[in-house]
Amino acid sequence: MDTGKRTLTQDYIGTEARYGARNYRPVPVVVDRALDCLVWDVEGREYVDMMSAYSAVSHGHLHPRLVAAAQRQLQKVAITSRAYHGTTLGPFLHKLCALTSFERALPMNTGAEAVETAIKCARRWGYRVKGVAPGQAEILVARQNFHGRTSTIIGFSSEPDYRDGFGPFAPGFRHFDFGDMDSVRAGASPNTCAVLVEPIQGEAGVVLPPPGFFAQLRQWCTQNNVLLIIDEVQAGLGRTGRWFAFEHEGIRPDALILGKALGGGLLPVSAFLADSAVMNVFDPGSHGSTFGGNALGAAVALEALQVIEDEGLVQRSAELGEYLIARLREVQAAVQPLVRAVRGRGLWVGVDIAPAHASARELVESLAARGVLSKETHETVIRFAPPLTITRALIDRAVDAFLHMALEKRRTFAIKSIATPVPDRATETA
Ligand SMILES: *Cc1c(COP(=O)(O)O)cnc(C)c1O
């Protein structure tokens, strides 16, 4: 029996561990409440949120306008299913189309569902418009992609952890190397109906495309009658300092996938967007979702888009993102060789840690102990992606904590390496 006093933190972590499936390894912080860019744990400790739930909380936690929009709608109706029309869905879809300049939008809930929608649309377009032989449609995807966790989607992941033991996988996907046009050409066939790709590979470690890659990919897709579908579930809605990350590349895709921030940090709301020539392959009965486009989600998502516009969050992401990256590069110089690279766009930054010196995970946990929430991806990259409402002062607080932690880490590392006994001749020749 444990006779010592258990903390609340240990209690909650213990209950999750006892009754939950073991499919996550969370940072050991028990969040009790949050407001805008700050989070408090059950012990009352305060944290700066530099993670924002992978961009789902781009508006900051519990944005008052979004909470008010939800409360207003909760006085009326929340869920009707798509068996009936409603008063919030049309205005939401209208706003989404106006912002993206696509003609039609199909609402879903999670990002993975919107990706599934894109896959179904691309295949049907392949058969009905492009003329691919039945059952032969192929979709090109990038290596190191992340598009969600359904059994179809993980089937074309290149991450062994996501796939192991979950086969057999759906056929009809081929891989190319992100940023490499030759490998796109090598992976293509006359049955290729679409390229599905992230504009920046987030899960892979915030990997930016080489300049000009997307322009060439756009041109290749047009020449080969292949749909270019961009997954901006994480990159979209201001995260990279533009409304949509594809704008950095000077292109327009044939279809777009949104999610995460679309729900304003309150609800899961996603969408698939395309022009009528593509979207109209869906007819009644061909696709749907019980909760997709629900009255409450649509009311919140419409307000979420409006808030980004009214508060200038896209411009803010561009400016403060530049500041965050500049400050992290100062840290990189101060603590070398601990940090190998700092890369990102807007308020979306990956800090690449030299694995000989520390794992990203141990630094994420040390940072949490210093009041900063971040998250590792793979073994070597720490992700910083705060709410777009973050201030310079809070960025400074987070970066200073990172600097002090890294200096300490480097000091212990340096002492450790000095302390390593130099082998004498006898052991060397032994
Ligand atoms: C998070 C994410 C998804 C999946 O979204 P879920 O809401 O977790 O299903 C898909 N694509 C990208 C690029 C993502 O970042």
Side-chain angles (χ1 to χ4, degrees):
M1 259 322 271
D2 186 355
T3 51
K5 251 198 222 143
R6 282 167 65 85
T7 62
L8 281 172
T9 295
Q10 286 167 333
D11 278 346
Y12 284 107
I13 290 176
T15 311
E16 282 186 19
R18 167 66 185 78
Y19 294 104
R22 298 184 294 179
N23 59 327
Y24 274 99
R25 185 161 77 104
V27 177
V29 172
V30 178
V31 175
D32 183 47
R33 61 196 176 87
L35 193 62
D36 198 8
C37 302
L38 295 177
V39 168
W40 292 272
D41 73 10
V42 281
E43 321 283 349
R45 287 180 296 234
E46 184 174 289
Y47 302 82
V48 186
D49 187 352
M50 293 296 286
M51 216 293 260
S52 66
Y54 303 95
S55 283
V57 183
S58 281
H59 298 75
H61 293 275
L62 303 179
H63 191 290
R65 275 183 60 183
L66 297 174
V67 172
Q71 281 168 340
R72 273 196 307 276
Q73 191 59 37
L74 284 169
Q75 309 293 320
K76 297 179 78 188
V77 63
I79 308 284
T80 60
S81 85
R82 296 289 303 275
Y84 312 103
H85 298 280
T87 63
T88 62
L89 179 57
F92 162 50
L93 298 178
H94 183 182
K95 180 77 191 171
L96 208 44
C97 287
L99 273 173
T100 58
S101 83
F102 283 103
E103 291 170 357
R104 292 180 184 274
L106 196 162
M108 298 295 278
N109 311 284
T110 65
E113 288 173 304
V115 171
E116 289 280 348
T117 304
I119 292 167
K120 288 169 78 172
C121 185
R123 285 175 173 168
R124 206 177 237 203
W125 178 88
Y127 300 126
R128 297 192 175 176
V129 180
K130 181 165 177 169
V132 175
Q136 301 300 306
E138 287 178 355
I139 295 173
L140 277 173
V141 295
R143 291 198 178 82
Q144 315 296 329
N145 70 71
F146 184 83
H147 296 287
R149 300 289 204 149
T150 67
S151 54
T152 292
I153 292 169
I154 55 123
F156 59 81
S157 169
S158 47
E159 178 61 45
D161 285 350
Y162 299 170
R163 296 165 52 88
D164 186 31
F166 298 135
F169 301 116
F173 298 94
R174 299 241 235 146
H175 287 95
F176 65 92
D177 293 321
F178 188 69
D180 179 355
M181 275 314 295
D182 286 338
S183 92
V184 170
R185 287 183 205 99
S189 83
N191 295 330
T192 305
C193 60
V195 174
L196 168 64
V197 64
E198 298 157 86
I200 291 173
Q201 293 192 304
E203 193 76 10
V206 193
V207 177
L208 304 183
F213 170 68
F214 272 95
Q216 287 176 282
L217 182 62
R218 170 68 278 179
Q219 194 180 22
W220 181 88
C221 285
T222 304
Q223 284 165 353
N224 292 277
N225 199 21
V226 167
L227 298 177
L228 177 57
I229 304 175
I230 300 206
D231 179 350
E232 297 226 12
V233 168
Q234 193 163 168
L237 303 176
R239 177 51 57 190
T240 69
R242 297 282 181 92
W243 266 97
F244 304 102
F246 67 74
E247 294 172 58
H248 291 286
E249 313 295 338
I251 61 153
R252 181 179 186 267
D254 299 300
L256 179 66
I257 306 167
L258 298 176
K260 293 197 168 112
L262 192 54
L266 300 186
L267 295 164
V269 180
S270 65
F272 172 70
L273 291 123
D275 286 340
S276 301
V278 173
M279 191 71 91
N280 286 352
V281 300
F282 286 124
D283 48 9
S286 58
H287 191 49
S289 158
T290 303
F291 289 98
N294 70 76
L296 180 59
V300 169
L302 172 59
E303 190 72 352
L305 295 172
Q306 203 63 60
V307 165
I308 295 173
E309 201 164 59
D310 294 348
E311 297 191 356
L313 294 184
V314 179
Q315 189 52 33
R316 194 183 177 91
S317 172
E319 287 167 15
L320 291 184
E322 233 170 79
Y323 181 68
L324 174 61
I325 291 172
R327 285 240 41 211
L328 285 169
R329 295 223 161 106
E330 286 170 21
V331 172
Q332 179 186 7
V335 303
Q336 63 179 359
L338 183 68
V339 174
R340 281 194 299 202
V342 173
R343 50 177 183 260
R345 209 164 252 174
L347 280 168
W348 196 14
V349 188
V351 175
D352 202 333
I353 305 298
H357 298 256
S359 73
R361 174 69 185 206
E362 74 175 284
L363 297 190
V364 163
E365 292 190 5
S366 310
L367 257 186
R370 289 173 178 268
V372 177
L373 299 183
S374 62
K375 187 76 174 77
E376 81 279 8
T377 172
H378 299 288
E379 281 77 47
T380 60
V381 179
I382 303 179
R383 241 189 295 220
F384 291 114
L388 307 185
T389 55
I390 191 110
T391 60
R392 256 167 220 265
L394 284 178
I395 288 177
D396 284 338
R397 190 159 131 191
V399 174
D400 290 344
F402 184 70
L403 174 63
H404 291 128
M405 178 207 59
L407 284 172
E408 193 165 283
K409 188 63 65 185
R410 203 185 56 160
R411 196 155 53 235
T412 48
F413 178 77
I415 290 165
K416 251 192 267 168
S417 29
I418 291 164
T420 305
V422 182
D424 61 28
R425 275 181 188 287
T427 43
E428 240 172 18
T429 50

